[in-house]
Amino acid sequence: MRGSPRRPPGHVPLNRALSKLGIASRTEATRLVADGRVRVDGRVVRDPAMPVVPEGARVTVDGRPAARAPWRLILLNKPRGVVTTRRDPRGRPTVFDGLESVEGHLVAVGRLDLATTGLLLLTTDTRLADWLTDPANGVPRIYTVTVRGEVGDEAAASLTSGLEVGGERMAADQVTVRKRSRRETHLVVRLHEGRNREVRRLFEAIGHEVTSLRRVAFGGLELGNLQPGQWRDVDRSECDRAFLRDRDDAESPEPRAVRRHGLE
């Protein structure tokens, strides 16, 4: 059986190169190439899989050099009713609508669903985005959650011991009940990966509907006082401090964030 052709060392597919340079997402880059808008060393290329060296080839898009976008990491307070996608076929507002002035192609670090609010990271650094969303790296996310009905201690404990949900094994890292009544329960939940609708699905599995879900921390970054729709830049030094690998490091802000939200 013949295997796929091997690329020379240092070469990547053209569509991936455009993504690595922060020009467009992989899907958008494929479309740009197919439309004949990309030239490599002066000639039009229509094969998105053509191998190139991102920093070596002379790549242009619509006649403009495809230079690496400036490094940028943005922390946004995502409002309710806004989708985490660049374009929405139903015409709903997106998280990118207020970021037109930002130079470079931003990618969202994971997603928050339509009804979920709070901390969303966007960056021009696709490698950083991949690292942050890789479950193997265990970067924690902290959410404040309100659900209908009273969540008892046993039910809350089942969220961390693990549940079978739709054929998947799911578990929260930590769950703390802050306030409860027959009408509703307020909790803080920590996860280390961002599966689709994970918090909502966990609570549905124990018979409680989530009525409010807000992400308040991602690693050592916290939402702070940002109002819905507001955003701020995170510089490289703050990024480095926020995602230190050693969770027991006394200088790491992540344990402080955990304690502040009532998980320890």
Side-chain angles (χ1 to χ4, degrees), residues 77-85 88 90-95 97 112-118 200 213 228-229:
N77 184 351
K78 176 194 169 296
R80 187 181 179 92
V82 174
V83 294
T84 310
T85 185
D88 181 61
R90 295 169 57 182
R92 294 171 296 185
T94 83
V95 296
D97 288 345
L112 295 178
D113 65 37
L114 185 70
T116 301
T117 65
R200 296 182 188 277
L213 179 59

Side-chain angles (χ1 to χ4, degrees), residues 181-199:
S181 67
R182 291 183 180 179
R183 179 172 176 271
E184 65 182 18
T185 304
H186 299 257
L187 310 97
V188 180
V189 175
R190 183 168 76 164
L191 306 172
H192 69 274
E193 59 181 306
R195 298 192 201 183
N196 183 39
R197 300 182 70 252
E198 186 170 9
V199 174

Side-chain angles (χ1 to χ4, degrees), residues 202-262:
L202 280 168
F203 280 100
E204 286 170 4
I206 62 170
H208 294 273
E209 178 190 358
V210 172
T211 58
S212 176
L213 179 59
R214 184 175 183 235
R215 185 156 67 193
V216 294
F218 195 127
L221 295 176
E222 295 188 68
L223 189 60
N225 296 321
L226 286 178
Q227 297 303 302
Q230 291 184 336
W231 58 272
R232 69 175 180 86
D233 276 293
V234 178
D235 63 28
R236 285 182 180 272
S237 61
E238 184 182 7
C239 177
D240 290 343
R241 293 193 304 271
F243 301 113
L244 286 173
R245 296 300 306 277
D246 185 359
R247 299 288 184 247
D248 296 324
D249 188 338
E251 297 304 314
S252 170
E254 191 271 328
R256 294 197 296 273
V258 169
R259 287 193 292 271
R260 189 173 297 120
H261 294 287

Side-chain angles (χ1 to χ4, degrees), residues 50-95:
M50 175 183 150
V52 298
V53 178
E55 289 78 14
R58 290 187 294 108
V59 181
T60 61
V61 179
D62 295 333
R64 296 188 296 274
R68 182 178 293 278
W71 190 91
R72 199 88 180 258
L73 178 62
I74 284 172
L75 190 160
L76 168 74
N77 184 351
K78 176 194 169 296
R80 187 181 179 92
V82 174
V83 294
T84 310
T85 185
R86 189 164 293 278
R87 298 181 185 85
D88 181 61
R90 295 169 57 182
R92 294 171 296 185
T94 83
V95 296

